[in-house]
Amino acid sequence: MAIKTRNWAWVGAAATLLLSGGAFYAVGQVYSDAKAIDLINQLAQAGLYFGSAMATASATTLALMLTLIGMARRAEADFGNSFYRNVYRISRLATATLLGSVVLLLLLTLPVGEFEGLDTMWFIWLYRVLFALIGVLSALLVATVLLVFTTVRDVIVNITPEDVI
């Protein structure tokens, strides 16, 4: 039984979430909860680059979806409802990724080292939230890329003569 092309995006997202969960579990086996502040600082260094790259990629994807819709309208090929549904799905995923990236960047601006009077549970939960947010954003990005791929493939199939493919 073949998986529908749009379901590959969800399979990729689920695999990314599983990988993220495995990484969280592995880190938890190596480091204790007492090192949460150190883990947050390490996560923040990579997370800032990751969050800004995700925001940029998502905004670019949204702009490209507008271009794709205009191109599809002008093309002489007939694009079905599934094509426009995929463009809508890509736009929703890109929007969710963009919003999540902004939240991630805002959370990473917290001066964690300055919160010495807080309970250690606060740092543990902040680390868990940051790690989960990075995992979810990674899964959203994978799903978006796979949906973009299937949509581009559909465009190529519709506008290219059959003997070329």
Side-chain angles (χ1 to χ4, degrees), residues 41-113:
N41 288 330
Q42 293 300 317
L43 194 60
Q45 290 177 6
L48 285 171
Y49 294 110
F50 179 74
S52 61
M54 295 275 286
T56 302
S58 299
T60 302
T61 301
L62 283 170
L64 290 173
M65 289 303 101
L66 287 173
T67 304
L68 183 61
I69 290 172
M71 185 198 78
R73 288 279 190 200
R74 286 189 298 271
E76 303 205 2
D78 184 32
F79 293 99
N81 288 336
S82 65
F83 168 78
Y84 291 103
R85 265 188 261 156
N86 273 349
V87 170
Y88 179 67
R89 285 183 190 113
I90 292 166
S91 300
R92 279 191 334 206
L93 287 173
T95 301
T97 306
L98 179 60
L99 295 175
S101 298
V102 170
V103 169
L104 175 65
L105 290 170
L106 286 172
L107 286 174
L108 290 173
T109 61
L110 293 173
V112 176

Side-chain angles (χ1 to χ4, degrees), residues 5 8 21 23 29 31 61-62 85 97 100 104 116 131 136 142 151:
T5 56
W8 281 112
Q29 295 300 312
Y31 294 98
T61 301
L62 283 170
R85 265 188 261 156
T97 306
L104 175 65
E116 294 169 2
F131 204 100
V136 168
V142 167
T151 303

